[in-house]
Coordinates of all heavy atoms in Angstrom, one line a residue:
L1 N -55.9 -15.5 -3.4 CA -56.1 -14.7 -4.6 C -56.7 -13.3 -4.2 O -56.2 -12.2 -4.6 CB -56.9 -15.3 -5.6 CG -57.3 -14.4 -6.9 CD1 -56.0 -14.0 -7.6 CD2 -58.2 -15.2 -7.8
I2 N -57.7 -13.4 -3.3 CA -58.4 -12.1 -2.9 C -57.4 -11.2 -2.1 O -57.3 -10.0 -2.3 CB -59.6 -12.4 -2.0 CG1 -60.6 -13.3 -2.8 CG2 -60.2 -11.2 -1.5 CD1 -61.2 -12.6 -4.0
E3 N -56.6 -11.8 -1.3 CA -55.6 -11.1 -0.5 C -54.6 -10.5 -1.5 O -54.2 -9.3 -1.3 CB -54.9 -11.9 0.5 CG -55.8 -12.3 1.7 CD -55.2 -13.2 2.7 OE1 -54.1 -13.8 2.4 OE2 -55.7 -13.5 3.8
A4 N -54.1 -11.2 -2.4 CA -53.2 -10.7 -3.4 C -53.7 -9.6 -4.2 O -53.1 -8.6 -4.5 CB -52.7 -11.9 -4.3
Y5 N -55.0 -9.7 -4.6 CA -55.7 -8.7 -5.3 C -55.7 -7.4 -4.5 O -55.4 -6.3 -5.0 CB -57.1 -9.1 -5.7 CG -57.9 -8.0 -6.4 CD1 -57.8 -7.7 -7.7 CD2 -58.8 -7.3 -5.6 CE1 -58.6 -6.7 -8.3 CE2 -59.6 -6.3 -6.1 CZ -59.5 -6.0 -7.5 OH -60.3 -5.0 -8.0
E6 N -56.2 -7.5 -3.3 CA -56.3 -6.3 -2.4 C -54.9 -5.7 -2.2 O -54.9 -4.4 -2.0 CB -56.9 -6.7 -1.1 CG -58.4 -7.1 -1.3 CD -59.0 -7.7 0.0 OE1 -58.3 -8.1 0.9 OE2 -60.3 -7.8 0.0
N7 N -53.9 -6.5 -2.1 CA -52.5 -5.9 -1.9 C -51.8 -5.6 -3.2 O -50.6 -5.3 -3.2 CB -51.7 -6.9 -1.1 CG -52.2 -7.0 0.3 OD1 -52.5 -6.0 1.0 ND2 -52.4 -8.2 0.8
R8 N -52.5 -5.8 -4.4 CA -51.9 -5.6 -5.7 C -50.6 -6.3 -5.9 O -49.6 -5.8 -6.4 CB -51.7 -4.1 -5.9 CG -53.0 -3.2 -5.9 CD -52.7 -1.8 -6.1 NE -54.0 -1.0 -5.9 CZ -54.6 -0.5 -7.0 NH1 -54.2 -0.6 -8.2 NH2 -55.7 0.2 -6.8
C9 N -50.7 -7.6 -5.6 CA -49.5 -8.5 -5.8 C -49.9 -9.8 -6.4 O -49.3 -10.8 -6.0 CB -48.7 -8.6 -4.5 SG -49.6 -9.4 -3.1
V10 N -50.9 -9.8 -7.3 CA -51.3 -11.0 -8.0 C -50.2 -11.4 -8.9 O -49.7 -10.6 -9.7 CB -52.6 -10.8 -8.7 CG1 -53.0 -12.1 -9.5 CG2 -53.7 -10.5 -7.7
T11 N -49.8 -12.7 -8.9 CA -48.8 -13.2 -9.9 C -49.4 -14.3 -10.8 O -50.5 -14.8 -10.4 CB -47.6 -13.8 -9.1 OG1 -48.2 -15.0 -8.4 CG2 -47.0 -12.9 -8.1
P12 N -48.8 -14.6 -11.9 CA -49.3 -15.7 -12.7 C -49.4 -17.0 -12.0 O -50.3 -17.8 -12.2 CB -48.3 -15.7 -13.9 CG -47.8 -14.3 -14.0 CD -47.7 -13.8 -12.6
E13 N -48.5 -17.2 -11.0 CA -48.5 -18.4 -10.2 C -49.7 -18.5 -9.3 O -50.3 -19.6 -9.2 CB -47.2 -18.5 -9.4 CG -45.9 -18.7 -10.2 CD -45.5 -17.5 -10.9 OE1 -45.8 -16.3 -10.5 OE2 -44.7 -17.6 -11.9
I14 N -50.1 -17.4 -8.7 CA -51.3 -17.4 -7.9 C -52.5 -17.6 -8.8 O -53.4 -18.4 -8.4 CB -51.4 -16.0 -7.1 CG1 -50.3 -15.9 -6.1 CG2 -52.8 -15.9 -6.5 CD1 -50.2 -14.6 -5.4
L15 N -52.6 -17.0 -9.9 CA -53.7 -17.2 -10.8 C -53.8 -18.7 -11.2 O -54.9 -19.3 -11.2 CB -53.6 -16.3 -12.1 CG -53.8 -14.8 -11.9 CD1 -53.5 -14.1 -13.3 CD2 -55.2 -14.5 -11.4
A16 N -52.7 -19.3 -11.6 CA -52.6 -20.6 -12.1 C -53.1 -21.6 -11.0 O -53.6 -22.7 -11.4 CB -51.2 -21.0 -12.6
A17 N -52.9 -21.3 -9.8 CA -53.2 -22.2 -8.7 C -54.6 -22.1 -8.2 O -55.1 -22.9 -7.4 CB -52.3 -21.9 -7.5
T18 N -55.4 -21.1 -8.8 CA -56.7 -20.8 -8.4 C -57.7 -21.3 -9.4 O -57.8 -20.7 -10.5 CB -56.9 -19.3 -8.1 OG1 -55.9 -18.8 -7.3 CG2 -58.3 -19.1 -7.4
Q19 N -58.5 -22.4 -9.1 CA -59.5 -22.8 -10.0 C -60.3 -23.9 -9.3 O -60.0 -24.5 -8.3 CB -58.9 -23.5 -11.3 CG -58.1 -24.8 -11.0 CD -57.6 -25.4 -12.3 OE1 -56.9 -24.7 -13.1 NE2 -57.9 -26.6 -12.5
G20 N -61.5 -24.1 -9.9 CA -62.4 -25.1 -9.4 C -62.3 -26.4 -10.2 O -61.3 -26.6 -10.9
T21 N -63.2 -27.3 -10.1 CA -63.1 -28.6 -10.7 C -64.2 -28.8 -11.8 O -64.0 -29.6 -12.7 CB -63.3 -29.7 -9.7 OG1 -64.5 -29.6 -9.0 CG2 -62.2 -29.7 -8.6
I22 N -65.3 -28.1 -11.7 CA -66.4 -28.3 -12.6 C -66.1 -27.6 -14.0 O -66.3 -28.2 -15.0 CB -67.7 -27.8 -12.1 CG1 -68.1 -28.6 -10.8 CG2 -68.9 -27.8 -13.1 CD1 -69.3 -28.1 -10.1
C23 N -65.7 -26.4 -13.9 CA -65.5 -25.6 -15.0 C -64.3 -24.6 -14.8 O -64.5 -23.4 -14.5 CB -66.8 -24.7 -15.3 SG -66.8 -23.8 -16.9
P24 N -63.1 -25.2 -14.8 CA -61.9 -24.4 -14.3 C -61.7 -23.1 -15.1 O -61.6 -23.2 -16.4 CB -60.8 -25.4 -14.5 CG -61.2 -26.5 -15.4 CD -62.7 -26.5 -15.2
W25 N -61.6 -22.0 -14.4 CA -61.5 -20.7 -14.9 C -62.8 -20.4 -15.7 O -62.8 -20.1 -16.9 CB -60.3 -20.4 -15.8 CG -59.0 -20.2 -14.9 CD1 -58.9 -20.5 -13.6 CD2 -57.8 -19.6 -15.4 NE1 -57.6 -20.2 -13.2 CE2 -56.9 -19.6 -14.2 CE3 -57.3 -19.1 -16.6 CZ2 -55.6 -19.1 -14.3 CZ3 -56.1 -18.6 -16.6 CH2 -55.2 -18.6 -15.5

């Protein structure tokens, strides 16, 4: 996600795949 942000290529799929387990998003 950080790399996508820095390269301005964040997608909904990248966002959806990024989360923790205790308190997702």
Side-chain angles (χ1 to χ4, degrees):
L1 175 61
I2 300 300
E3 289 177 350
Y5 172 84
E6 292 173 344
N7 293 314
R8 297 178 184 255
C9 60
V10 175
T11 63
E13 291 74 24
I14 291 175
L15 290 177
T18 311
Q19 67 177 55
T21 58
I22 296 172
C23 188
W25 281 18

